[in-house]
Amino acid sequence: LEKKQNKSAKNLEELMARADQSRSEFEAKVSNGNGSNDIDLGQVPKKSLGEQSRRAYLSTLRQVIDSSDIILQVLDARDPMGTRIRPSIEDAIMRHYDKKMVLVMN
């Protein structure tokens, strides 16, 4: 293991220079494959991971809505408009399902 310099930077320029040097060393390790992580993040695109998660969420949401009689949307009393689901999702739920939605202030 390399010893870290225990000196504190005397000014902003020195701090910036050290940060740039550390970043360069890290990028060199990662590009050479000598990094400490064995996981290759390049195998799965980030967009793919996000879309898989979104599909799983929507599938679960659909199952919950199908098995429900009414839908409770719990809102934070401090910010009720900020904690509501998006209007497009709410409209889709109300249009495709014959369900009642109750808004609950918590």
Side-chain angles (χ1 to χ4, degrees):
L1 295 174
E2 297 176 0
K3 287 188 176 182
K4 299 264 181 190
Q5 292 181 352
N6 202 9
K7 299 177 188 177
S8 60
K10 294 182 174 46
N11 56 33
L12 184 59
E13 289 80 21
E14 186 178 338
L15 181 64
M16 293 287 290
R18 285 185 187 176
D20 286 338
Q21 181 182 3
S22 294
R23 180 181 45 83
S24 299
E25 290 171 0
F26 175 77
E27 288 174 350
K29 282 183 183 179
V30 170
S31 67
N32 292 336
N34 294 333
S36 61
N37 292 338
D38 293 331
I39 300 170
D40 183 13
L41 296 177
Q43 291 176 345
V44 179
K46 288 183 182 180
K47 185 175 180 181
S48 174
L49 291 174
E51 288 191 21
Q52 289 174 351
S53 178
R54 180 177 167 79
R55 277 192 220 123
Y57 167 75
L58 291 175
S59 173
T60 304
L61 179 63
R62 189 173 297 119
Q63 290 173 356
V64 169
I65 292 171
D66 285 338
S67 65
S68 302
D69 294 327
I70 61 170
I71 301 168
L72 295 178
Q73 190 177 157
V74 180
L75 307 175
D76 187 345
R78 297 170 291 184
D79 184 19
M81 293 308 291
T83 54
R84 286 189 75 164
I85 60 174
R86 284 188 249 149
S88 59
I89 295 175
E90 187 174 331
D91 291 341
I93 292 170
M94 300 308 289
R95 209 175 318 120
H96 289 69
Y97 298 96
D98 188 28
K99 307 285 182 176
K100 301 291 184 194
M101 184 175 293
V102 177
L103 304 178
V104 179
M105 292 282 236
N106 183 9

